[in-house]
Amino acid sequence: MVRFLLIVVLILAVLVLIGFVLGYNKIRGADVRVAEALSGIDVELTRRASLIPSLVHTVQTFAVHEKGILDHVTNARAALSAATTGKSIAQRSAAEKDLDTALVPLLALGQTYPQLNSSSNFLNLQENLTDTENKLAFARQYYNDAVATLNRSLTTIPWMFVAPLAGVAEREYYQTPG
């Protein structure tokens, strides 16, 4: 009888250990997917920010009197670049919103300066920005999906008991600027 109980306890201990390992790996894997998704957002934000100097230069050659708009875009780009190196999701989102706000009057200058709107360089930059915006929207959605999966795992039984041991906490959703 004692031998039977010992075998049952040993089997239960092995099952608990296997469950812990599976839960740990599931939660850590979800955490890695969230980090990868955030990196995808940063790649697109960096790509977007790298297009801004060319756009500013192109506009500057046609619209020399628009220094305030150009300065606002340049400052917003610098803030976005700084935000992508930090850990705060809210800071990234706020910097992205500020750049969106700064780009609206810059892109509208194409209406004020028809020669700018006919510039192939300006049109190419606008097209690249639009492409980057589409990729950025996808990257945000992918990130939020990864966060939802992770957060759901962290709040459901039995994974919620493994999460503190894995050192993983709930993540913040990326708020779309606008």
Side-chain angles (χ1 to χ4, degrees), residues 154-175:
L154 295 177
T155 57
T156 57
I157 294 174
W159 313 125
M160 64 189 286
F161 300 114
V162 178
L165 301 172
V168 177
E170 284 190 37
R171 295 286 192 101
E172 179 182 3
Y173 286 98
Y174 196 97
Q175 301 297 318

Side-chain angles (χ1 to χ4, degrees), residues 26-36 150 167-169 171:
K26 177 181 177 167
I27 290 171
R28 294 299 297 165
D31 192 46
V32 167
R33 277 189 294 286
V34 168
E36 287 171 353
L150 174 66
V168 177
R171 295 286 192 101

Side-chain angles (χ1 to χ4, degrees), residues 13-23:
V14 168
L15 289 176
V16 167
L17 180 62
I18 290 171
F20 172 78
V21 169
L22 290 174

Side-chain angles (χ1 to χ4, degrees), residues 5-161:
L5 270 159
L6 197 55
I7 291 173
V8 169
V9 168
L10 185 60
I11 290 172
L12 286 176
V14 168
L15 289 176
V16 167
L17 180 62
I18 290 171
F20 172 78
V21 169
L22 290 174
Y24 182 89
N25 288 340
K26 177 181 177 167
I27 290 171
R28 294 299 297 165
D31 192 46
V32 167
R33 277 189 294 286
V34 168
E36 287 171 353
L38 185 57
S39 173
I41 291 174
D42 287 346
V43 165
E44 294 306 322
L45 289 175
T46 302
R47 178 176 179 222
R48 183 180 186 209
S50 70
L51 291 171
I52 303 303
S54 298
L55 185 64
V56 167
H57 178 71
T58 300
V59 171
Q60 209 169 28
T61 60
F62 289 98
V64 292
H65 304 293
E66 308 294 346
K67 182 155 176 45
I69 292 172
L70 299 174
D71 287 346
H72 186 210
V73 170
T74 302
N75 293 338
R77 176 194 176 268
L80 181 64
S81 294
T84 58
T85 61
K87 295 230 181 236
S88 171
I89 302 300
Q91 186 180 11
R92 277 179 179 85
S93 184
E96 187 179 350
K97 181 179 180 178
D98 189 37
L99 183 60
D100 286 346
T101 303
L103 283 175
V104 170
L106 181 71
L107 295 173
L109 287 176
Q111 305 304 318
T112 308
Y113 298 90
Q115 70 274 26
L116 177 62
N117 213 21
S118 65
S119 165
S120 62
N121 193 24
F122 182 71
L123 296 174
N124 185 32
L125 288 167
Q126 278 186 316
E127 185 178 310
N128 282 333
L129 275 174
T130 301
D131 182 49
T132 301
E133 289 299 325
N134 292 336
K135 289 178 180 177
L136 193 52
F138 176 79
R140 280 190 219 107
Q141 182 61 46
Y142 180 71
Y143 172 81
N144 283 338
D145 289 345
V147 167
T149 300
L150 174 66
N151 290 349
R152 198 171 26 257
S153 294
L154 295 177
T155 57
T156 57
I157 294 174
W159 313 125
M160 64 189 286
F161 300 114

